[in-house]
Amino acid sequence: MSRKFEKSLSLMGAFWQIITGVITIFFYGTWIRGQVLDSESASALDVMSSRVVAKNLYSFTVTFGVFFVLLGIINIYCSYKLNPQKVAKKIPIWFILCSLISFFCMDFIGCIAFMSAAVIALARNKSIAIMEIRRIK
């Protein structure tokens, strides 16, 4: 039984996570840093406090982007680890977890891709298990 469709769905979600992580790190992080330079505050205290806030926001943004890039790399590994002849127990559960993470981060493209890959992988697991039972008999 071929697992090509769920592999392609999970790879699509993984590459989407990597792309959004890189966009978050470079474009959004750069935009946050640029906002402090554009601000024309009245006092030096306002400038210092806005720099501190921008630095914290930049750190959070870069950490969030790196998290998404690492999730994408892990998902690429998991999608290549799917074996068409064996029942995969942990990988579909990982895809469901990634779908929930994507949902709570408002990443609906990744959510749909990983949930679809998980549902199809679980359905194929059931058919592979039935085929194994028939081979034993």
Side-chain angles (χ1 to χ4, degrees):
M1 199 158 267
S2 175
R3 290 192 182 260
K4 187 176 181 180
F5 190 61
E6 60 259 33
K7 279 186 180 184
S8 63
L9 281 173
S10 63
L11 282 174
M12 181 186 75
F15 287 126
W16 176 254
Q17 283 181 332
I18 291 173
I19 289 169
T20 56
V22 168
I23 288 172
T24 302
I25 292 169
F26 292 111
F27 295 109
Y28 189 59
T30 306
W31 179 76
I32 287 174
R33 278 201 167 173
Q35 290 298 312
V36 174
L37 298 176
D38 292 340
S39 65
E40 296 178 7
S41 300
S43 67
L45 184 61
D46 289 339
V47 172
M48 272 184 33
S49 64
S50 64
R51 284 184 182 163
V52 169
V53 169
K55 184 178 178 184
N56 289 335
L57 279 174
Y58 179 76
S59 298
F60 177 76
T61 303
V62 169
T63 304
F64 190 75
V66 168
F67 173 70
F68 263 94
V69 170
L70 288 176
L71 271 179
I73 292 170
I74 291 170
N75 286 323
I76 289 172
Y77 173 75
C78 287
S79 65
Y80 282 120
K81 197 174 176 184
L82 277 172
N83 190 349
Q85 305 301 326
K86 292 184 181 178
V87 175
K89 295 178 183 176
K90 295 179 184 175
I91 295 175
I93 293 171
W94 172 254
F95 288 157
I96 291 171
L97 180 68
C98 286
S99 177
L100 290 173
I101 290 170
S102 295
F103 178 75
F104 288 122
C105 292
M106 303 298 281
D107 177 20
F108 296 118
I109 294 173
C111 178
I112 291 170
F114 287 119
M115 189 56 73
S116 301
V119 168
I120 293 169
L122 289 171
R124 293 246 169 104
N125 280 349
K126 191 165 187 164
S127 64
I128 290 171
I130 290 172
M131 288 173 56
E132 286 179 358
I133 290 172
R134 288 185 182 171
R135 281 188 211 152
I136 292 173
K137 291 181 181 182

